[in-house]
Amino acid sequence: MTATSAALTPPADAIPPVRHPDAPAPGELLGAHYEYCFGCGGGQPHGLLLEARAGEGVTVTAEFTVTPDHQGAPGLAHGGVLATALDETLGSLNWLLRVIAVTGRLETDFVRPVPVGTVLHLEAEVTAVHGRKIFSTAVGRIGGPEGPVAVRADALFVEVKVDHFIDNGRPEEIQAAMSDPDQVRRARAFEVNP
């Protein structure tokens, strides 16, 4: 295990996170923010299909099952896939703050191998907020929510405006998302992006 870098340590004048009054209730399934998101979308057959639930305070829990499509070494999850699961879970925290934010930095510790067929149980929480910066931490366990730690991460998310996606995304996908007749799906596509 390595020490967290200075970039992921909240400054002394950072404030505790505050759950937005319109945040999903504890226990509520958050759902996919975008159908084609590799982490949470149902439109990605080889994606993680990660499901996150709101927790108490500014926390979430999530689960994802490692499939043969997620292998690195034979029979084991690819480290990049595990980092993606952590990133997706950490990004889900932004639903509770009701902000649009993107990953600025992610540091991951790989503690033990995660075999194919394993359900990875993830927990994440926002630890501090400083201006546009959101500091958070997550852990992934195998064998159940109280099982041994397999992966952990510390992250820095940065609040952005929706223009971040519109100006930088591929025009075909941006237009398709903006043209969706379902107003809720249209808004969610740009609301939170890990």
Side-chain angles (χ1 to χ4, degrees):
M1 184 172 88
T2 60
T4 300
S5 72
L8 294 175
T9 302
D13 60 341
I15 60 172
V18 176
R19 184 187 188 100
H20 192 279
D22 295 331
E28 187 175 329
L29 187 63
L30 299 179
H33 72 93
Y34 177 54
E35 180 182 359
Y36 298 106
C37 173
F38 180 78
C40 65
Q44 292 287 352
H46 301 294
L48 303 185
L49 306 174
L50 186 134
E51 293 187 340
R53 290 189 181 278
E56 298 291 332
V58 189
T59 67
V60 297
T61 60
E63 290 183 355
F64 112 89
T65 301
V66 179
T67 71
D69 294 321
H70 303 137
Q71 290 182 85
L76 296 174
H78 189 286
V81 169
L82 297 175
T84 300
L86 287 161
D87 186 44
E88 185 70 28
T89 304
L90 288 157
S92 297
L93 290 164
N94 297 315
W95 288 108
L96 306 181
L97 299 174
R98 301 296 291 173
V99 299
I100 301 170
V102 295
T103 310
R105 186 175 186 95
L106 177 70
E107 289 187 12
T108 306
D109 292 320
F110 300 95
V111 180
R112 68 181 68 237
V114 178
V116 168
T118 299
V119 176
L120 189 64
H121 300 268
L122 299 134
E123 300 173 30
E125 71 175 312
V126 175
T127 58
V129 176
H130 188 258
R132 294 176 44 224
K133 295 180 178 180
I134 302 163
F135 297 86
S136 53
T137 190
V139 64
R141 298 173 183 273
I142 57 176
E146 303 299 320
V149 172
V151 292
R152 64 173 64 94
D154 291 307
L156 169 67
F157 281 76
V158 180
E159 190 173 347
V160 297
K161 303 253 186 259
V162 73
D163 294 349
H164 169 86
F165 304 103
I166 294 169
D167 294 345
N168 296 294
R170 197 165 72 163
E172 296 84 14
E173 279 85 359
I174 297 297
Q175 188 57 46
M178 291 175 74
S179 298
D180 191 326
D182 184 314
Q183 185 177 4
V184 173
R185 276 198 318 249
R186 185 172 58 238
R188 284 184 66 144
F190 300 102
E191 197 170 60
V192 174
N193 188 46

